[in-house]
Amino acid sequence: MDRKEKQYKIERNDLSKDRSLRPWSAADEYLLQHFTSIEKEINQLVIYNDRFGFLTCHLHSFSPTIIRSQKSQEKAIRNNLETNQLPALSFSNPLEPIEQQMDFALLKIPKSIALFQVFLAHITYYSTDDVAVVCSFMTRHFSPRLLEVASEYFEEVEQSRALKKARLLILTKKKKTDKHSLIKELAYKDQIYRQYGGVFSGDHIDYATQYFLEHLQLEQTDLRVLDLASGNGIIGNEISKQLPNSEINLLDDSFLAVASAKLNVQGSNIHHHFDNDLSSFEDDAFDLIVSNPPFHFEYEINIQVPIRLFKECARCLKVGGSFQLVANRHLNYRVHLEPLFSRVDVVAENDKFVVYCCFA
């Protein structure tokens, strides 16, 4: 497969101030190099977990379908396509069928093994019998579990040699497997919460969230509420139990988190949003905003994302309203919150977590 080399401008679009971080890795480069060496004709290419669009831009001439699991990922890819004056492409998600069965897939292996499994299940459901899948990862992130999961879906799992500290897994001869549930059940108090693989804290209800729920302060005047970075919806659901007449909005950057929350939190006063910011909400929109905000993104720590969300919360909070959040102690969010809000109180703290209440 011949391909003329072309330079593309790829930006991270994640507000990171760390100039050492690139919008692609050696694992992305290895995937691209391998794909361009293939001599077979490819009818339907599908790309999984291309965080910023490096693969999408370089392979746009193949009109690939992009499986995105995060809204921020989709926005970054769209921005980089536009920056490079490339045509728009089709986006889908890991729970829905694609228009044409794929015969080739490129997959950057995510940190979450459960999400890797979701991706492989999607591939086997919506691919031709002779589909080939090429996965990439940095060697420092290798786990034998990768091979175990890959072998659940494919007969042949070949591992490549290392190149620039990256490796490939080449999967062929997909197995005939029945559709099985990708949903886990997590217990909290008297309720079972269901969530798809790849959603944060897949083995138990996150301990920071549990601590937050123990110290959450609700008022009957909290008529419009936003659960920001809502995950499987547990915080929004617990609030709806105590404020049954209030409007509860749940927002998350993860498609699978939003899909999970829809399983757990339902009602005419419940609204789900798949987004990574608050741009769709007007000023002074909420009486209460609650959050266990993310700061890990795959293997990176990036507090610029939650800091941006704090600024948007200040804009969207009504006068007299409160923004309540839980955070790891070492993040020291108070120094970022105090310039944005009239008052910042520490409601509770232990050796791991701090619960803040910020007033507009």
Side-chain angles (χ1 to χ4, degrees):
M1 184 183 300
D2 294 327
R3 179 180 64 90
K4 293 181 179 179
E5 289 294 336
K6 181 177 179 180
Q7 296 296 318
Y8 294 96
K9 182 180 180 182
I10 311 296
E11 298 177 341
R12 286 180 59 95
N13 293 286
D14 67 346
L15 306 177
S16 176
K17 294 182 178 180
D18 187 343
R19 296 182 180 275
S20 68
L21 297 175
R22 297 192 306 167
W24 68 88
S25 69
D28 294 302
E29 293 175 341
Y30 206 169
L31 267 183
L32 181 62
Q33 175 182 314
H34 180 85
F35 182 81
T36 54
S37 69
I38 294 170
E39 296 182 355
K40 64 174 286 188
E41 181 179 348
I42 295 170
N43 295 312
Q44 178 61 65
L45 171 65
V46 179
I47 300 176
Y48 292 77
N49 202 34
D50 185 16
R51 185 175 175 192
F52 299 112
F54 174 83
L55 295 170
T56 303
C57 287
H58 281 85
L59 300 175
H60 75 282
S61 62
F62 293 89
S63 299
T65 295
I66 312 303
I67 304 299
R68 53 91 171 95
S69 54
Q70 295 173 308
K71 179 58 74 171
S72 57
Q73 177 189 28
E74 177 182 338
K75 289 180 178 180
I77 293 173
R78 290 188 186 279
N79 286 341
N80 281 316
L81 286 172
E82 184 176 346
T83 296
N84 291 284
Q85 299 181 325
L86 298 173
L89 293 171
S90 174
F91 286 81
S92 189
N93 66 70
L95 296 182
E96 294 180 352
I98 58 175
E99 292 183 4
Q100 180 183 350
Q101 283 192 322
M102 71 186 86
D103 57 353
F104 205 99
L106 296 176
L107 194 164
K108 176 77 174 297
I109 296 179
K111 180 179 181 181
S112 167
I113 299 294
L115 182 56
F116 181 43
Q117 186 173 17
V118 170
F119 288 156
L120 291 181
H122 189 261
I123 290 170
T124 56
Y125 298 159
Y126 304 115
S127 61
T128 60
D129 290 338
D130 63 347
V131 65
V133 185
V134 183
C135 314
S136 69
F137 61 95
M138 300 303 295
T139 54
R140 65 182 180 275
H141 299 147
F142 175 77
S143 163
R145 183 65 180 141
L146 294 180
L147 303 180
E148 294 172 7
V149 170
S151 296
E152 292 176 11
Y153 294 90
F154 289 86
E155 296 285 355
E156 295 188 358
V157 178
E158 177 188 352
Q159 189 173 177
S160 76
R161 64 181 178 84
L163 179 65
K164 296 181 180 179
K165 300 182 179 179
R167 286 187 184 273
L168 302 179
L169 290 184
I170 301 172
L171 317 180
T172 53
K173 296 185 179 180
K174 76 174 184 178
K175 293 182 177 179
K176 300 291 185 181
T177 57
D178 295 330
K179 276 196 173 184
H180 58 277
S181 177
L182 296 170
I183 298 175
K184 286 190 173 183
E185 295 186 343
L186 308 178
Y188 180 75
K189 293 185 176 179
D190 59 346
Q191 184 166 341
I192 297 296
Y193 286 88
R194 296 182 292 165
Q195 69 180 49
Y196 289 97
V199 178
F200 175 66
S201 193
D203 297 323
H204 60 270
I205 299 298
D206 174 57
Y207 296 123
T209 294
Q210 294 186 46
Y211 187 69
F212 185 48
L213 289 170
E214 294 170 2
H215 299 282
L216 192 59
Q217 300 179 346
L218 301 179
E219 303 289 344
Q220 292 302 311
T221 52
D222 294 330
L223 301 178
R224 195 174 187 215
V225 179
L226 171 65
D227 180 0
L228 176 61
S230 53
N232 66 16
I234 182 173
I235 298 175
N237 190 57
E238 294 298 311
I239 292 174
S240 70
K241 291 178 183 179
Q242 299 184 53
L243 301 175
N245 297 319
S246 296
E247 175 189 309
I248 311 294
N249 293 268
L250 300 95
L251 181 148
D252 205 287
D253 185 28
S254 164
F255 176 85
L256 293 170
V258 175
S260 301
K262 288 179 178 179
L263 298 175
N264 299 316
V265 197
Q266 302 172 357
S268 58
N269 62 329
I270 305 297
H271 306 283
H272 297 274
H273 308 269
F274 175 41
D275 214 337
N276 68 319
D277 59 36
L278 279 61
S279 59
S280 62
F281 299 115
E282 67 276 16
D283 295 354
D284 308 319
F286 298 104
D287 302 292
L288 171 66
I289 301 175
V290 296
S291 187
N292 179 4
F295 62 94
H296 282 104
F297 297 87
E298 289 288 292
Y299 296 96
E300 299 174 6
I301 293 178
N302 184 351
I303 69 167
Q304 297 305 315
V305 172
I307 290 172
R308 181 196 62 185
L309 292 175
F310 299 162
K311 294 176 181 177
E312 295 190 65
C313 288
R315 175 184 65 82
C316 291
L317 200 61
K318 294 180 181 178
V319 175
S322 68
F323 171 39
Q324 300 180 41
L325 69 151
V326 64
N328 290 52
R329 287 184 61 94
H330 72 272
L331 295 172
N332 193 24
Y333 279 156
R334 184 164 192 160
V335 299
H336 302 290
L337 293 166
E338 287 184 334
L340 301 173
F341 297 91
S342 63
R343 194 175 96 218
V344 176
D345 293 342
V346 173
V347 174
E349 58 184 323
N350 60 19
D351 59 340
K352 292 184 178 180
F353 309 118
V354 182
V355 176
Y356 298 99
C357 184
C358 312
F359 296 93

